[in-house]
Amino acid sequence: MLFYAKKSYQKHPFHLVDPSPWPFLASIAAFSCTINAILYFHFFKFGKFFLILSFIFLFLIMFVWWRDVSREASFEGHHTGLVQQGLRYGILLFIISEIFFFVAFFWAFFHNSISPSIELGSIWPPKGIYVLNPWQIPFLNTLILLLSGCTVTWCHHALISNLRTQVILSLFLTIFLAILFTLLQGFEYKMADFRLSDGVYGSTFYLATGFHGFHVLIGTISLIICLIRFFNFQLTQQHHFGFESSAWYWHFVDVVWLFLFVSIYWWGGT
């Protein structure tokens, strides 16, 4: 009753978000992940423990923050058409910022590979680096991600057509393919003959592919949240921007991987 009384005094379609501790705590958690990752890379005694603890802290904050956003959208009715339009602009700007994030890694890779310095022996890949065969696990992962892009698009069209069984099936397949991609990339890292500390090739390779793998992990978690919301009937034929933003993000991850495969695995390894 109080909720509807409060809404009657609102003369605009915007959502004035209540004060929340999650943005502040999320920034602390992200900063903690960065610091502890540096400590781990420099073989600090408890670096690995604190890094794992920081990620757990970050994922817990993500959970409660997304819980609040889902509650505002599903039960409190705050996500009006105008609010959803603002969210779309926000997601687009976020994806653009992520594009420039990966541009920095590609820039570093091409800067060293196109004109390798004398310190690298003036050759690329540097001497002693045994690159991965692009037509084995990397190519398989490419097919997996492309297929996952098809299944998430299938899910979106099924949702618009109100085909609930197809929505759940296609989203489940997308999540399965995403997990399979992550497992194969982990196996690839384990089998590689070079590490992050092996010169400029190792650092650019693992930073680019590793951060992409991290984005795949975040996208997978987001899709799992969407699947849970589908089971709870929180995403409908008319109101499903939570899934739509996850699908956009997933397509962005697919496109970045295509550039990684062509430039780093295929062209950069020959």
Side-chain angles (χ1 to χ4, degrees):
M1 187 68 182
L2 292 175
F3 168 73
Y4 290 105
K6 179 181 177 181
K7 290 288 287 185
S8 63
Y9 290 102
Q10 186 167 301
K11 303 299 182 181
H12 56 79
F14 299 99
H15 175 210
L16 302 180
V17 183
D18 295 330
S20 172
W22 310 131
F24 176 71
L25 293 177
S27 63
I28 293 177
F31 181 71
S32 176
C33 289
T34 305
I35 295 298
N36 289 314
I38 295 173
L39 294 176
Y40 173 66
F41 294 154
H42 286 81
F43 304 104
F44 181 69
K45 185 176 181 181
F46 299 104
K48 184 177 182 180
F49 170 76
F50 286 120
L51 179 61
I52 295 174
L53 196 64
S54 299
F55 272 108
I56 292 175
F57 184 42
L58 180 62
F59 287 141
L60 287 175
I61 293 172
M62 288 169 56
F63 173 79
V64 292
W65 196 351
W66 289 354
R67 177 206 62 186
D68 289 351
V69 174
S70 299
R71 182 184 298 155
E72 292 166 356
S74 304
F75 304 114
E76 298 179 4
H78 288 307
H79 287 192
T80 61
L82 198 56
V83 171
Q84 292 184 56
Q85 182 180 355
L87 291 172
R88 284 183 171 85
Y89 290 149
I91 290 295
L92 287 174
L93 290 174
F94 169 70
I95 291 176
I96 291 172
S97 70
E98 292 289 282
I99 291 173
F100 283 100
F101 178 78
F102 280 99
V103 163
F105 297 132
F106 285 112
W107 192 317
F109 182 82
F110 284 116
H111 173 78
N112 291 283
S113 60
I114 293 177
S115 181
S117 64
I118 193 171
E119 290 81 8
L120 299 176
S122 300
I123 58 173
W124 190 268
K127 187 177 181 180
I129 296 292
Y130 299 96
V131 299
L132 297 166
N133 188 340
W135 304 109
Q136 294 180 353
I137 293 180
F139 183 67
L140 177 60
N141 268 345
T142 302
L143 297 179
I144 289 173
L145 270 190
L146 289 176
L147 183 58
S148 70
C150 295
T151 55
V152 79
T153 303
W154 172 22
C155 181
H156 193 191
H157 284 280
L159 178 59
I160 294 174
S161 302
N162 201 25
L163 302 173
R164 180 174 172 80
T165 303
Q166 291 191 28
V167 168
I168 295 175
L169 174 61
S170 56
L171 188 53
F172 178 81
L173 288 174
T174 305
I175 295 170
F176 171 76
L177 292 170
I179 295 173
L180 181 60
F181 173 90
T182 303
L183 293 175
L184 286 173
Q185 190 167 27
F187 178 74
E188 176 188 82
Y189 285 173
K190 185 177 180 180
M191 299 302 294
D193 291 327
F194 58 92
R195 295 293 179 261
L196 181 67
S197 57
D198 288 332
V200 67
Y201 185 89
S203 60
T204 52
F205 175 86
Y206 280 106
L207 279 175
T209 59
F211 270 110
H212 175 268
F214 179 73
H215 283 71
V216 170
L217 177 62
I218 297 300
T220 304
I221 295 173
S222 180
L223 291 173
I224 292 174
I225 296 298
C226 289
L227 182 61
I228 295 173
R229 296 187 69 193
F230 277 128
F231 278 119
N232 293 329
F233 296 92
Q234 294 181 7
L235 297 174
T236 64
Q237 184 179 11
Q238 296 81 17
H239 195 103
H240 56 264
F241 177 71
F243 168 76
E244 192 174 352
S245 61
S246 300
W248 290 357
Y249 186 82
W250 195 253
H251 288 308
F252 156 74
V253 168
D254 288 350
V255 173
V256 170
W257 176 259
L258 290 177
F259 280 97
L260 285 173
F261 175 75
V262 172
S263 60
I264 294 181
Y265 284 99
W266 184 12
W267 179 84
T270 56

